[in-house]
Amino acid sequence: MKLLTHNMLTSHVQGVIKGYPLIIKATEVKVNELEFSAPFVSRMIPKLEWSLISALNCTLIPDYEKDEEFLRKVHRILLEVEVVEGCLQCPESGREFPISKGVPNMLLIEDE
Amino acid sequence: MQPAKKSIEEEEEETHCNAMAVMIRALYCTAGAGMEELLAEEVQHKLCATQVEQIPGRVFFCSNADLQTVTQLKSAERLFILLSKGEPLSLPNNPGVNEQEFTVLIVVGDPDIWRQTFLTWTALQQELQCSQQRGQKRKREDEEESLHTPSFRVSCRCSGVIARSYTSQVNVYLSDDHCIVGIPLLKHPLSSRSYMKHNGLRSTIAWAMSSLCPKKLNDCVILDPMCGVGAVLLEAAQEYSNAVFLGMDTDLSQLQKAAENIKASGMEGRVQLLQSSAMEIPLADGAVDAVLCDVPFGRKFSCSSDMPTALPRLLREMERVLRVGGHLVLLLSLQLSAQLKKTICTHEHNQNVNSLDTNNLHTDPSNTHNESTDTPKPLMFHKSSSEMSNSPLLISSLQAQRTHKVSLGSTDAFIHTYTKIKTQTL
C-alpha cells in the first residue's frame, strides 16, 4: 500500500463517524524506485489531505510546481514508499485491517 | 499465389521506411458490434484519418500515420490493408458461365491493384521490422527472401502448422451488401494487448468505457470498485498518463492477477489495489472524480444477495464516493440495465439548487423544479440503511448522459454514463 492510497482510505465500520485517517502499523516497508513525473505530482498535491504528509516532516511550500527537489521528495513519499506487511487501524473503533503483500484488506464481516 | 516478379531496387531499409512514412494507405479494421462508431472517432482523432467509412463490423480509413502509431489503436480488433471494396457480388444469370470462375474473377479484379498492394504490404512489413528491430541483428537471409516474394493463401480460416508455413493470408468478405478483399497486416489482433498477462473484460470494451466518459480524465482519481484483473483500469491508464487509479475487488486471486497485469504494463506508480467490497467502499464521500465499473452479469453476487437485489446498494455507494460533477460509467447486461433505469430517476430539470436544506429529509414541493407530476417523488438517502429495507432505493443525483450498446460476443450489453449533480438533500 502506497501512502497515496492511504491518503484516501477511510474506515467504514458501522457507527464510526470519523474513520480517517487510518493509523498505519507497518511491519515491513519497502522503497521502490518509480519513474518521476513532475506534472503528475504537482497535480496530485491539491487533491491530498496534506496533514498526513506534513506528519512525515514534509511541509507544503508555496510555488511547489517549480521546485523539482520538493516534488521529488513528495514523489518518494507518496509513490515510492510502500507498506508491504502490517495493518491499518481505525482511529475510532480500533478495528484493524491487515495489509498483506502490499494489498490492504478492508473487507468487513457481516455484522460490522 | 505469387505476385508478378518485379525488379525491386536494392535500397537501404531506412530510406525505404522514410519513404513509406509519408504515403497514404487505405486500411481497414474489424470491430466488435457497437464499437464501430468509437473506432471511427479514434482513427480520426489519433491518425488524422480521412475517408472514414463504417459498415457493421468494419471501419475503413485512409491515413499517412506511421504503422507504429496505427497499431496503438485501442478499439479495433484486427488491422488490414485494403485491396478492394465494392458492390456485393451478383452472380450472372447465364447458366453457361462457370460460377466459381466468375466469383474468382470479380474478387480478384485488377492484377495491377494486387501488385501495388503487395508492394505496399511488403514495405509495411519492413517498416514494422524497422521499428521493432532497431539495433538488433539483421534478419536471416531466408526471412528477407520470403518478404520479397511472399506467398499467400486464400482461405476463410486457417490455423496451426499449415498456417505458419505461409507468410500471410488474403481475407475475403462477401455479404449481401459488400464484397471486400484485404490482407491482414499483423499476425495478432490489435485487441490482444501485450500488457495484459491475464485477460478479463475484452480490452476494446474496457477502453470504450473510459473513452465514453463525458469529460477527459486527466489529473483525476478514478475508481473501479469491482476491478477483477484490472482490464478497465489499465486501458484507462494507457490513455491518461496523469491520473491515479484505484482498483478494488473482494477476490484476492483476482487482485493478484491484476497486480501482475499492472506490473506487465509498467503502471505500478499509478494503479493501486485494495481488497474491499463495492458495497462498502472505504473512501470518504466525494473522494473520487470518476467511477468506472464492469458490473458482473452473473445472478449470484454474494452469499446474501443476487445482483439485481444488490445493484441499488452498489449504485448508492458508487454515487456516494463520487464528487459532484464527477462521472460514472457502468457496463451492464440488458437485464441489469433495466434494473438500473428503475433505480436512477433523476428528473431532467432537477439541476437547480437553491440551498441545502439540512433539516428536511424529504423534498419540499415548493422548492423543486420538478415538472412531471405523475412520476413518483424520489426518496433521498437516509444514512442508516435499516430504514430503507422496505422501500425501494432511488437515486436522483445521477444525470444520465448516454447509453451505448456493445456486443460481448455471446451476449449484448450497455455502457451507461452518468454525471453526479447537486440535489436538495443532506
Side-chain angles (χ1 to χ4, degrees), chain A residues 5 10 34 43 47 79 104 106, chain B residues 219 242 269 272 274-275 282:
Chain A
T5 313
T10 180
L34 222 69
R43 279 176 208 154
K47 294 187 192 286
L79 297 168
M106 308 296 295
Chain B
D219 313 321
N242 283 332
Q272 321 274 312
L274 286 175
Q275 187 175 12

Side-chain angles (χ1 to χ4, degrees), chain B residues 208-226:
Chain B
M209 290 181 65
S210 55
S211 159
L212 284 168
C213 201
K215 217 168 37 201
K216 295 249 174 273
L217 296 174
N218 290 312
D219 313 321
C220 288
V221 178
I222 297 150
L223 169 69
D224 182 349
M226 290 191 266

Side-chain angles (χ1 to χ4, degrees), chain B residues 139-372:
Chain B
K139 286 153 50 60
R140 294 196 330 262
E141 276 193 18
D142 50 89
E143 281 178 1
E144 285 181 14
E145 173 61 30
S146 72
L147 262 190
H148 287 303
T149 53
S151 60
F152 292 81
R153 59 179 161 83
V154 180
S155 69
C156 300
R157 192 175 291 277
C158 203
S159 63
V161 174
I162 195 166
R164 289 192 284 275
S165 62
Y166 291 100
T167 319
S168 186
Q169 61 176 332
V170 171
N171 189 286
V172 178
Y173 174 70
L174 304 174
S175 72
D176 291 340
D177 304 305
H178 306 275
C179 164
I180 296 162
V181 186
I183 311 174
L185 281 168
L186 300 160
K187 278 202 166 63
H188 298 291
L190 298 179
S191 54
S192 124
R193 312 291 199 225
S194 55
Y195 45 82
M196 289 297 281
K197 253 188 93 176
H198 304 277
N199 281 311
L201 176 66
R202 239 189 139 71
S203 57
T204 49
I205 310 283
W207 179 87
M209 290 181 65
S210 55
S211 159
L212 284 168
C213 201
K215 217 168 37 201
K216 295 249 174 273
L217 296 174
N218 290 312
D219 313 321
C220 288
V221 178
I222 297 150
L223 169 69
D224 182 349
M226 290 191 266
C227 67
V229 301
V232 174
L233 291 175
L234 285 171
E235 288 300 317
Q238 297 280 323
E239 283 295 313
Y240 300 108
S241 55
N242 283 332
V244 171
F245 299 87
L246 211 51
M248 293 176 188
D249 207 285
T250 50
D251 188 340
L252 195 60
S253 63
Q254 292 276 285
L255 288 173
Q256 279 161 358
K257 289 184 183 160
E260 285 175 39
N261 281 339
I262 292 168
K263 191 152 183 210
S265 58
M267 297 284 178
E268 282 134 308
R270 299 195 288 117
V271 185
Q272 321 274 312
L273 296 174
L274 286 175
Q275 187 175 12
S276 92
S277 168
M279 305 274 255
E280 282 129 1
I281 299 177
L283 296 173
D285 296 0
V288 305
D289 301 295
V291 174
L292 307 178
C293 192
D294 164 23
V295 180
F297 291 13
R299 267 176 289 130
K300 184 153 165 51
F301 175 61
S302 66
C303 0
S304 52
S305 61
D306 61 358
M307 186 51 83
T309 313
L311 190 65
R313 269 186 72 189
L314 282 169
L315 288 169
R316 180 172 71 171
E317 267 300 272
M318 291 193 256
E319 187 272 349
R320 178 184 71 78
V321 299
L322 210 50
R323 65 163 176 84
V324 173
H327 304 289
L328 172 64
V329 183
L330 294 171
L331 177 68
L332 292 173
S333 65
L334 302 192
Q335 183 203 13
L336 288 176
S337 295
Q339 173 87 17
L340 178 78
K341 295 295 177 192
K342 279 192 258 172
T343 309
I344 297 183
C345 60
T346 307
H347 298 288
E348 289 300 309
H349 305 279
N350 187 17
Q351 284 177 28
N352 303 311
V353 177
N354 294 328
S355 60
L356 288 174
D357 192 341
T358 51
N359 293 323
N360 192 355
L361 284 175
H362 304 284
T363 50
D364 185 345
S366 60
N367 283 338
T368 57
H369 298 259
N370 187 347
E371 289 179 25
S372 64

Side-chain angles (χ1 to χ4, degrees), chain A:
Chain A
M1 183 204 67
K2 296 183 201 276
L3 295 178
L4 176 62
T5 313
H6 170 254
N7 203 277
M8 296 188 268
L9 284 179
T10 180
S11 161
H12 52 289
V13 173
Q14 228 175 60
V16 165
I17 298 171
K18 191 158 197 302
Y20 181 89
L22 292 159
I23 303 162
I24 305 177
K25 293 180 174 176
T27 54
E28 188 189 326
V29 177
K30 211 171 48 167
V31 180
N32 310 301
E33 213 181 279
L34 222 69
E35 203 186 314
F36 168 71
S37 160
F40 176 70
V41 178
S42 56
R43 279 176 208 154
M44 272 305 119
I45 288 174
K47 294 187 192 286
L48 301 170
E49 176 53 60
W50 196 262
S51 56
L52 274 67
I53 315 291
S54 54
L56 298 163
N57 289 329
C58 184
T59 341
L60 185 59
I61 58 170
D63 273 347
Y64 53 79
E65 296 102 326
K66 301 168 193 150
D67 191 335
E68 185 174 309
E69 197 188 308
F70 176 77
L71 292 177
R72 280 190 181 272
K73 188 176 175 188
V74 175
H75 165 86
R76 190 176 171 79
I77 294 172
L78 289 178
L79 297 168
E80 292 189 333
V81 174
E82 184 164 1
V83 178
V84 182
E85 302 288 330
C87 73
L88 296 169
Q89 188 177 40
C90 172
E92 204 176 292
S93 67
R95 190 345 180 148
E96 286 187 352
F97 300 96
I99 303 174
S100 170
K101 293 187 193 155
V103 178
N105 182 348
M106 308 296 295
L107 289 172
L108 294 173
I109 52 176
E110 284 290 314
D111 51 355
E112 266 182 307

